[in-house]
PDB file of all heavy atoms in Angstrom:
ATOM      1  N   GLN A 275     -11.476 138.955-131.270  1.00  0.00           N
ATOM      2  CA  GLN A 275     -12.506 138.569-132.266  1.00  0.00           C
ATOM      3  C   GLN A 275     -13.783 139.339-132.191  1.00  0.00           C
ATOM      4  O   GLN A 275     -14.784 139.091-132.840  1.00  0.00           O
ATOM      5  CB  GLN A 275     -12.872 137.078-132.082  1.00  0.00           C
ATOM      6  CG  GLN A 275     -11.671 136.111-132.571  1.00  0.00           C
ATOM      7  CD  GLN A 275     -11.394 136.316-133.983  1.00  0.00           C
ATOM      8  OE1 GLN A 275     -12.271 136.343-134.904  1.00  0.00           O
ATOM      9  NE2 GLN A 275     -10.047 136.495-134.294  1.00  0.00           N
ATOM     10  N   MET A 276     -13.736 140.376-131.350  1.00  0.00           N
ATOM     11  CA  MET A 276     -14.927 141.327-131.269  1.00  0.00           C
ATOM     12  C   MET A 276     -15.101 141.994-132.675  1.00  0.00           C
ATOM     13  O   MET A 276     -14.076 142.584-133.192  1.00  0.00           O
ATOM     14  CB  MET A 276     -14.601 142.404-130.229  1.00  0.00           C
ATOM     15  CG  MET A 276     -15.748 143.454-130.167  1.00  0.00           C
ATOM     16  SD  MET A 276     -15.320 144.784-128.934  1.00  0.00           S
ATOM     17  CE  MET A 276     -15.302 143.886-127.438  1.00  0.00           C
ATOM     18  N   ILE A 277     -16.266 141.956-133.248  1.00  0.00           N
ATOM     19  CA  ILE A 277     -16.396 142.537-134.576  1.00  0.00           C
ATOM     20  C   ILE A 277     -16.703 144.075-134.443  1.00  0.00           C
ATOM     21  O   ILE A 277     -17.719 144.464-133.702  1.00  0.00           O
ATOM     22  CB  ILE A 277     -17.688 141.858-135.312  1.00  0.00           C
ATOM     23  CG1 ILE A 277     -17.307 140.463-135.485  1.00  0.00           C
ATOM     24  CG2 ILE A 277     -17.915 142.557-136.675  1.00  0.00           C
ATOM     25  CD1 ILE A 277     -18.522 139.588-136.014  1.00  0.00           C
ATOM     26  N   ILE A 278     -15.966 144.877-134.995  1.00  0.00           N
ATOM     27  CA  ILE A 278     -16.043 146.296-134.959  1.00  0.00           C
ATOM     28  C   ILE A 278     -16.417 146.926-136.277  1.00  0.00           C
ATOM     29  O   ILE A 278     -16.762 148.085-136.445  1.00  0.00           O
ATOM     30  CB  ILE A 278     -14.845 146.908-134.378  1.00  0.00           C
ATOM     31  CG1 ILE A 278     -13.635 146.737-135.209  1.00  0.00           C
ATOM     32  CG2 ILE A 278     -14.591 146.615-132.909  1.00  0.00           C
ATOM     33  CD1 ILE A 278     -12.446 147.581-134.800  1.00  0.00           C
ATOM     34  N   GLN A 279     -16.394 146.042-137.403  1.00  0.00           N
ATOM     35  CA  GLN A 279     -16.745 146.554-138.668  1.00  0.00           C
ATOM     36  C   GLN A 279     -17.269 145.379-139.480  1.00  0.00           C
ATOM     37  O   GLN A 279     -16.506 144.573-139.965  1.00  0.00           O
ATOM     38  CB  GLN A 279     -15.532 147.186-139.357  1.00  0.00           C
ATOM     39  CG  GLN A 279     -15.984 148.046-140.633  1.00  0.00           C
ATOM     40  CD  GLN A 279     -14.750 148.827-141.042  1.00  0.00           C
ATOM     41  OE1 GLN A 279     -13.943 149.307-140.317  1.00  0.00           O
ATOM     42  NE2 GLN A 279     -14.666 149.035-142.430  1.00  0.00           N
ATOM     43  N   ALA A 280     -18.639 145.224-139.518  1.00  0.00           N
ATOM     44  CA  ALA A 280     -19.173 144.015-140.083  1.00  0.00           C
ATOM     45  C   ALA A 280     -18.831 143.764-141.513  1.00  0.00           C
ATOM     46  O   ALA A 280     -18.685 142.605-141.949  1.00  0.00           O
ATOM     47  CB  ALA A 280     -20.701 144.116-139.984  1.00  0.00           C
ATOM     48  N   ASP A 281     -18.553 144.761-142.300  1.00  0.00           N
ATOM     49  CA  ASP A 281     -18.143 144.479-143.709  1.00  0.00           C
ATOM     50  C   ASP A 281     -16.655 144.785-143.828  1.00  0.00           C
ATOM     51  O   ASP A 281     -16.119 145.183-144.982  1.00  0.00           O
ATOM     52  CB  ASP A 281     -18.954 145.390-144.695  1.00  0.00           C
ATOM     53  CG  ASP A 281     -18.758 146.876-144.420  1.00  0.00           C
ATOM     54  OD1 ASP A 281     -18.185 147.204-143.280  1.00  0.00           O
ATOM     55  OD2 ASP A 281     -19.112 147.726-145.208  1.00  0.00           O
ATOM     56  N   GLY A 282     -15.865 144.542-142.805  1.00  0.00           N
ATOM     57  CA  GLY A 282     -14.529 144.867-142.707  1.00  0.00           C
ATOM     58  C   GLY A 282     -13.557 143.819-143.390  1.00  0.00           C
ATOM     59  O   GLY A 282     -13.986 142.932-143.967  1.00  0.00           O
ATOM     60  N   LEU A 283     -12.271 144.054-143.036  1.00  0.00           N
ATOM     61  CA  LEU A 283     -11.239 143.163-143.604  1.00  0.00           C
ATOM     62  C   LEU A 283     -11.395 141.751-143.037  1.00  0.00           C
ATOM     63  O   LEU A 283     -11.787 141.490-141.874  1.00  0.00           O
ATOM     64  CB  LEU A 283      -9.884 143.700-143.220  1.00  0.00           C
ATOM     65  CG  LEU A 283      -9.440 145.088-143.888  1.00  0.00           C
ATOM     66  CD1 LEU A 283      -8.220 145.641-143.266  1.00  0.00           C
ATOM     67  CD2 LEU A 283      -9.396 145.016-145.319  1.00  0.00           C
ATOM     68  N   PRO A 284     -10.932 140.784-143.920  1.00  0.00           N
ATOM     69  CA  PRO A 284     -10.872 139.365-143.356  1.00  0.00           C
ATOM     70  C   PRO A 284      -9.782 139.121-142.342  1.00  0.00           C
ATOM     71  O   PRO A 284      -8.738 139.890-142.258  1.00  0.00           O
ATOM     72  CB  PRO A 284     -10.586 138.517-144.620  1.00  0.00           C
ATOM     73  CG  PRO A 284      -9.857 139.498-145.580  1.00  0.00           C
ATOM     74  CD  PRO A 284     -10.411 140.890-145.247  1.00  0.00           C
ATOM     75  N   TYR A 285     -10.080 138.241-141.431  1.00  0.00           N
ATOM     76  CA  TYR A 285      -9.032 137.911-140.426  1.00  0.00           C
ATOM     77  C   TYR A 285      -7.916 137.177-141.171  1.00  0.00           C
ATOM     78  O   TYR A 285      -7.974 136.687-142.183  1.00  0.00           O
ATOM     79  CB  TYR A 285      -9.702 137.012-139.348  1.00  0.00           C
ATOM     80  CG  TYR A 285      -8.830 136.745-138.169  1.00  0.00           C
ATOM     81  CD1 TYR A 285      -8.397 137.723-137.333  1.00  0.00           C
ATOM     82  CD2 TYR A 285      -8.426 135.435-137.823  1.00  0.00           C
ATOM     83  CE1 TYR A 285      -7.646 137.583-136.219  1.00  0.00           C
ATOM     84  CE2 TYR A 285      -7.620 135.272-136.727  1.00  0.00           C
ATOM     85  CZ  TYR A 285      -7.237 136.254-135.902  1.00  0.00           C
ATOM     86  OH  TYR A 285      -6.532 136.034-134.826  1.00  0.00           O
ATOM     87  N   ARG A 286      -6.710 137.197-140.451  1.00  0.00           N
ATOM     88  CA  ARG A 286      -5.513 136.670-141.121  1.00  0.00           C
ATOM     89  C   ARG A 286      -5.525 135.038-141.219  1.00  0.00           C
ATOM     90  O   ARG A 286      -4.698 134.530-141.944  1.00  0.00           O
ATOM     91  CB  ARG A 286      -4.285 137.072-140.487  1.00  0.00           C
ATOM     92  CG  ARG A 286      -4.343 136.924-138.881  1.00  0.00           C
ATOM     93  CD  ARG A 286      -3.070 137.609-138.300  1.00  0.00           C
ATOM     94  NE  ARG A 286      -3.373 138.173-137.050  1.00  0.00           N
ATOM     95  CZ  ARG A 286      -2.487 138.480-136.126  1.00  0.00           C
ATOM     96  NH1 ARG A 286      -1.256 138.109-136.247  1.00  0.00           N
ATOM     97  NH2 ARG A 286      -2.810 138.998-134.972  1.00  0.00           N
ATOM     98  N   THR A 287      -6.427 134.359-140.607  1.00  0.00           N
ATOM     99  CA  THR A 287      -6.633 132.969-140.781  1.00  0.00           C
ATOM    100  C   THR A 287      -8.106 132.704-141.065  1.00  0.00           C
ATOM    101  O   THR A 287      -8.972 133.619-140.735  1.00  0.00           O
ATOM    102  CB  THR A 287      -6.135 132.200-139.536  1.00  0.00           C
ATOM    103  OG1 THR A 287      -7.075 132.402-138.460  1.00  0.00           O
ATOM    104  CG2 THR A 287      -4.754 132.478-139.037  1.00  0.00           C
ATOM    105  N   ALA A 288      -8.360 131.638-141.509  1.00  0.00           N
ATOM    106  CA  ALA A 288      -9.749 131.248-141.930  1.00  0.00           C
ATOM    107  C   ALA A 288     -10.703 131.154-140.692  1.00  0.00           C
ATOM    108  O   ALA A 288     -11.925 131.236-140.933  1.00  0.00           O
ATOM    109  CB  ALA A 288      -9.796 129.945-142.700  1.00  0.00           C
ATOM    110  N   GLN A 289     -10.162 130.939-139.457  1.00  0.00           N
ATOM    111  CA  GLN A 289     -10.904 130.742-138.248  1.00  0.00           C
ATOM    112  C   GLN A 289     -11.540 131.984-137.762  1.00  0.00           C
ATOM    113  O   GLN A 289     -12.487 131.946-136.947  1.00  0.00           O
ATOM    114  CB  GLN A 289     -10.141 129.997-137.146  1.00  0.00           C
ATOM    115  CG  GLN A 289      -9.764 128.578-137.477  1.00  0.00           C
ATOM    116  CD  GLN A 289      -8.720 128.401-138.536  1.00  0.00           C
ATOM    117  OE1 GLN A 289      -7.863 129.292-138.621  1.00  0.00           O
ATOM    118  NE2 GLN A 289      -8.790 127.428-139.332  1.00  0.00           N
ATOM    119  N   GLY A 290     -11.042 133.139-138.108  1.00  0.00           N
ATOM    120  CA  GLY A 290     -11.405 134.402-137.445  1.00  0.00           C
ATOM    121  C   GLY A 290     -12.574 135.143-138.170  1.00  0.00           C
ATOM    122  O   GLY A 290     -12.934 134.776-139.257  1.00  0.00           O
ATOM    123  N   ASN A 291     -13.059 136.117-137.449  1.00  0.00           N
ATOM    124  CA  ASN A 291     -14.257 136.922-138.009  1.00  0.00           C
ATOM    125  C   ASN A 291     -13.770 137.998-138.982  1.00  0.00           C
ATOM    126  O   ASN A 291     -12.739 138.600-138.813  1.00  0.00           O
ATOM    127  CB  ASN A 291     -14.974 137.571-136.836  1.00  0.00           C
ATOM    128  CG  ASN A 291     -15.688 136.626-135.964  1.00  0.00           C
ATOM    129  OD1 ASN A 291     -16.269 135.674-136.438  1.00  0.00           O
ATOM    130  ND2 ASN A 291     -15.638 136.807-134.671  1.00  0.00           N
ATOM    131  N   PHE A 292     -14.632 138.279-139.931  1.00  0.00           N
ATOM    132  CA  PHE A 292     -14.390 139.502-140.790  1.00  0.00           C
ATOM    133  C   PHE A 292     -14.665 140.736-139.865  1.00  0.00           C
ATOM    134  O   PHE A 292     -15.573 140.788-139.068  1.00  0.00           O
ATOM    135  CB  PHE A 292     -15.402 139.477-141.955  1.00  0.00           C
ATOM    136  CG  PHE A 292     -14.937 138.848-143.093  1.00  0.00           C
ATOM    137  CD1 PHE A 292     -15.039 137.420-143.057  1.00  0.00           C
ATOM    138  CD2 PHE A 292     -14.491 139.442-144.277  1.00  0.00           C
ATOM    139  CE1 PHE A 292     -14.643 136.595-144.228  1.00  0.00           C
ATOM    140  CE2 PHE A 292     -14.118 138.715-145.352  1.00  0.00           C
ATOM    141  CZ  PHE A 292     -14.147 137.294-145.304  1.00  0.00           C
ATOM    142  N   GLY A 293     -13.816 141.753-140.041  1.00  0.00           N
ATOM    143  CA  GLY A 293     -14.023 142.994-139.257  1.00  0.00           C
ATOM    144  C   GLY A 293     -13.571 142.839-137.780  1.00  0.00           C
ATOM    145  O   GLY A 293     -14.067 143.609-137.028  1.00  0.00           O
ATOM    146  N   ALA A 294     -12.789 141.827-137.471  1.00  0.00           N
ATOM    147  CA  ALA A 294     -12.473 141.673-136.086  1.00  0.00           C
ATOM    148  C   ALA A 294     -11.457 142.788-135.577  1.00  0.00           C
ATOM    149  O   ALA A 294     -10.594 143.213-136.324  1.00  0.00           O
ATOM    150  CB  ALA A 294     -11.766 140.302-135.843  1.00  0.00           C
ATOM    151  N   LEU A 295     -11.540 143.080-134.226  1.00  0.00           N
ATOM    152  CA  LEU A 295     -10.607 144.000-133.666  1.00  0.00           C
ATOM    153  C   LEU A 295      -9.216 143.717-133.906  1.00  0.00           C
ATOM    154  O   LEU A 295      -8.461 144.640-134.209  1.00  0.00           O
ATOM    155  CB  LEU A 295     -10.975 144.170-132.272  1.00  0.00           C
ATOM    156  CG  LEU A 295     -10.163 145.224-131.480  1.00  0.00           C
ATOM    157  CD1 LEU A 295     -10.349 146.598-132.003  1.00  0.00           C
ATOM    158  CD2 LEU A 295     -10.541 145.155-129.909  1.00  0.00           C
ATOM    159  N   ASP A 296      -8.826 142.458-133.789  1.00  0.00           N
ATOM    160  CA  ASP A 296      -7.449 142.028-133.919  1.00  0.00           C
ATOM    161  C   ASP A 296      -6.878 142.522-135.302  1.00  0.00           C
ATOM    162  O   ASP A 296      -5.713 142.834-135.451  1.00  0.00           O
ATOM    163  CB  ASP A 296      -7.342 140.542-133.807  1.00  0.00           C
ATOM    164  CG  ASP A 296      -5.952 139.965-133.696  1.00  0.00           C
ATOM    165  OD1 ASP A 296      -5.308 140.203-134.674  1.00  0.00           O
ATOM    166  OD2 ASP A 296      -5.539 139.434-132.643  1.00  0.00           O
ATOM    167  N   THR A 297      -7.733 142.484-136.333  1.00  0.00           N
ATOM    168  CA  THR A 297      -7.357 142.852-137.705  1.00  0.00           C
ATOM    169  C   THR A 297      -6.966 144.345-137.846  1.00  0.00           C
ATOM    170  O   THR A 297      -6.286 144.784-138.757  1.00  0.00           O
ATOM    171  CB  THR A 297      -8.442 142.499-138.682  1.00  0.00           C
ATOM    172  OG1 THR A 297      -8.807 141.200-138.481  1.00  0.00           O
ATOM    173  CG2 THR A 297      -8.020 142.727-140.129  1.00  0.00           C
ATOM    174  N   TYR A 298      -7.405 145.204-136.897  1.00  0.00           N
ATOM    175  CA  TYR A 298      -7.219 146.613-136.974  1.00  0.00           C
ATOM    176  C   TYR A 298      -6.339 147.138-135.834  1.00  0.00           C
ATOM    177  O   TYR A 298      -5.867 148.311-135.891  1.00  0.00           O
ATOM    178  CB  TYR A 298      -8.577 147.370-136.836  1.00  0.00           C
ATOM    179  CG  TYR A 298      -9.551 147.078-138.094  1.00  0.00           C
ATOM    180  CD1 TYR A 298     -10.416 145.880-137.999  1.00  0.00           C
ATOM    181  CD2 TYR A 298      -9.357 147.816-139.252  1.00  0.00           C
ATOM    182  CE1 TYR A 298     -11.197 145.609-139.122  1.00  0.00           C
ATOM    183  CE2 TYR A 298     -10.279 147.466-140.326  1.00  0.00           C
ATOM    184  CZ  TYR A 298     -11.128 146.435-140.308  1.00  0.00           C
ATOM    185  OH  TYR A 298     -11.907 146.069-141.305  1.00  0.00           O
ATOM    186  N   ALA A 299      -6.068 146.398-134.883  1.00  0.00           N
ATOM    187  CA  ALA A 299      -5.431 146.967-133.636  1.00  0.00           C
ATOM    188  C   ALA A 299      -4.374 145.987-132.891  1.00  0.00           C
ATOM    189  O   ALA A 299      -4.431 145.935-131.783  1.00  0.00           O
ATOM    190  CB  ALA A 299      -6.473 147.422-132.638  1.00  0.00           C
ATOM    191  N   SER A 300      -3.648 145.367-133.674  1.00  0.00           N
ATOM    192  CA  SER A 300      -2.606 144.474-133.212  1.00  0.00           C
ATOM    193  C   SER A 300      -1.286 144.811-133.850  1.00  0.00           C
ATOM    194  O   SER A 300      -1.292 145.619-134.759  1.00  0.00           O
ATOM    195  CB  SER A 300      -2.984 142.920-133.556  1.00  0.00           C
ATOM    196  OG  SER A 300      -3.048 142.782-135.010  1.00  0.00           O
ATOM    197  N   VAL A 301      -0.169 144.099-133.364  1.00  0.00           N
ATOM    198  CA  VAL A 301       1.066 144.380-134.014  1.00  0.00           C
ATOM    199  C   VAL A 301       1.049 144.030-135.427  1.00  0.00           C
ATOM    200  O   VAL A 301       1.577 144.774-136.296  1.00  0.00           O
ATOM    201  CB  VAL A 301       2.153 143.547-133.248  1.00  0.00           C
ATOM    202  CG1 VAL A 301       3.501 143.479-134.117  1.00  0.00           C
ATOM    203  CG2 VAL A 301       2.482 144.098-131.889  1.00  0.00           C
ATOM    204  N   HIS A 302       0.411 142.888-135.799  1.00  0.00           N
ATOM    205  CA  HIS A 302       0.214 142.525-137.127  1.00  0.00           C
ATOM    206  C   HIS A 302      -0.476 143.473-137.977  1.00  0.00           C
ATOM    207  O   HIS A 302      -0.076 143.817-139.094  1.00  0.00           O
ATOM    208  CB  HIS A 302      -0.565 141.175-137.134  1.00  0.00           C
ATOM    209  CG  HIS A 302      -0.974 140.785-138.539  1.00  0.00           C
ATOM    210  ND1 HIS A 302      -0.092 140.227-139.468  1.00  0.00           N
ATOM    211  CD2 HIS A 302      -2.129 140.897-139.247  1.00  0.00           C
ATOM    212  CE1 HIS A 302      -0.771 139.966-140.578  1.00  0.00           C
ATOM    213  NE2 HIS A 302      -1.978 140.380-140.483  1.00  0.00           N
ATOM    214  N   ALA A 303      -1.468 144.127-137.397  1.00  0.00           N
ATOM    215  CA  ALA A 303      -2.308 145.105-138.189  1.00  0.00           C
ATOM    216  C   ALA A 303      -1.450 146.340-138.435  1.00  0.00           C
ATOM    217  O   ALA A 303      -1.523 146.904-139.505  1.00  0.00           O
ATOM    218  CB  ALA A 303      -3.549 145.491-137.302  1.00  0.00           C
TER     219      ALA A 303
END
Side-chain angles (χ1 to χ4, degrees):
Q275 288 303 310
M276 177 187 293
I277 298 171
I278 59 168
Q279 193 167 327
D281 59 347
L283 295 172
Y285 190 60
R286 47 186 144 158
T287 68
Q289 289 75 31
N291 292 320
F292 276 75
L295 179 61
D296 191 296
T297 304
Y298 297 89
S300 62
V301 165
H302 169 78

